[in-house]
Amino acid sequence: MTLIRTGNRERLTAENRPPGCPAHSAGRFRLAGDGTSRFDRHFHDFDEFWFVAAGTATIVAGGTTHQAQPGDIIYTPAGTIHDITAITSEEDLEVFWLSWSLPEGADGQHLHQTPSDAAKHPVPSRKQAAT
C-alpha cells in the first residue's frame, strides 16, 4: 500500500509508485477562486482523469466547453487539448488527477501546440449568478 497525502502536496510518481500500479501519476491541484491563478493550455501523450472535488469552473477539452462542478469526472484521452478558462464560483477549484500508464515512448509531461499555450494564462473568476 502507498499513502499519498495530497493535502501536503504529495503525489504519486515513478519514485513512490507501488509495484504493479498502472497509474503514471496522481495528485491534486487547486486554483484560487479570486482570479489570481494561472494555468496552461496543454495535452498529454497518455490518458488522464480529473475528479472535481470543490468549486466550479469552465473547462475546455477537445474543443468542447464544460461547466464542471463538484463530483464531475473529466476524462481526456491522449492528445486531447484541455484548459481551465474560468473559475465560476467564489470557492477555490480543487481537482484530483489520475494519469494512466504511459504508452511506449511517451514522456509523461504537459505538451503544448504553441509557446503561447505553454505560457500560463490568468484564470479569471467569473462567479455565476444563482439560479
Side-chain angles (χ1 to χ4, degrees):
M1 183 193 98
T2 298
L3 175 65
I4 307 295
R5 296 196 182 275
T6 62
N8 294 340
R9 301 191 52 84
E10 292 177 15
R11 56 181 152 167
L12 178 73
T13 65
E15 290 75 39
N16 65 2
R17 185 172 39 245
C21 176
H24 162 64
S25 68
R28 174 181 74 135
F29 67 86
R30 180 186 301 261
L31 298 181
D34 64 4
T36 60
S37 292
R38 300 179 70 79
F39 199 78
D40 63 316
R41 177 181 170 88
H42 66 277
F43 63 98
H44 304 282
D45 48 11
F46 53 86
D47 296 343
E48 182 178 55
F49 296 86
W50 287 358
F51 172 75
V52 179
T56 61
T58 303
I59 296 173
V60 178
T64 302
T65 301
H66 304 275
Q67 298 304 316
Q69 61 187 10
D72 288 351
I73 295 173
I74 296 113
Y75 168 62
T76 54
T80 302
I81 295 172
H82 49 287
D83 194 0
I84 299 171
T85 58
I87 306 298
T88 55
S89 63
E90 291 179 0
E91 185 178 13
D92 292 352
L93 177 69
E94 186 172 347
V95 174
F96 290 85
W97 88 86
L98 172 68
S99 298
W100 207 239
S101 61
L102 296 182
E104 186 72 32
D107 76 355
Q109 302 297 315
H110 282 200
L111 303 172
H112 306 94
Q113 284 189 321
T114 67
S116 64
D117 285 352
K120 291 187 173 189
H121 62 81
V123 180
S125 175
R126 295 191 183 131
K127 182 181 168 192
Q128 293 181 327
T131 54

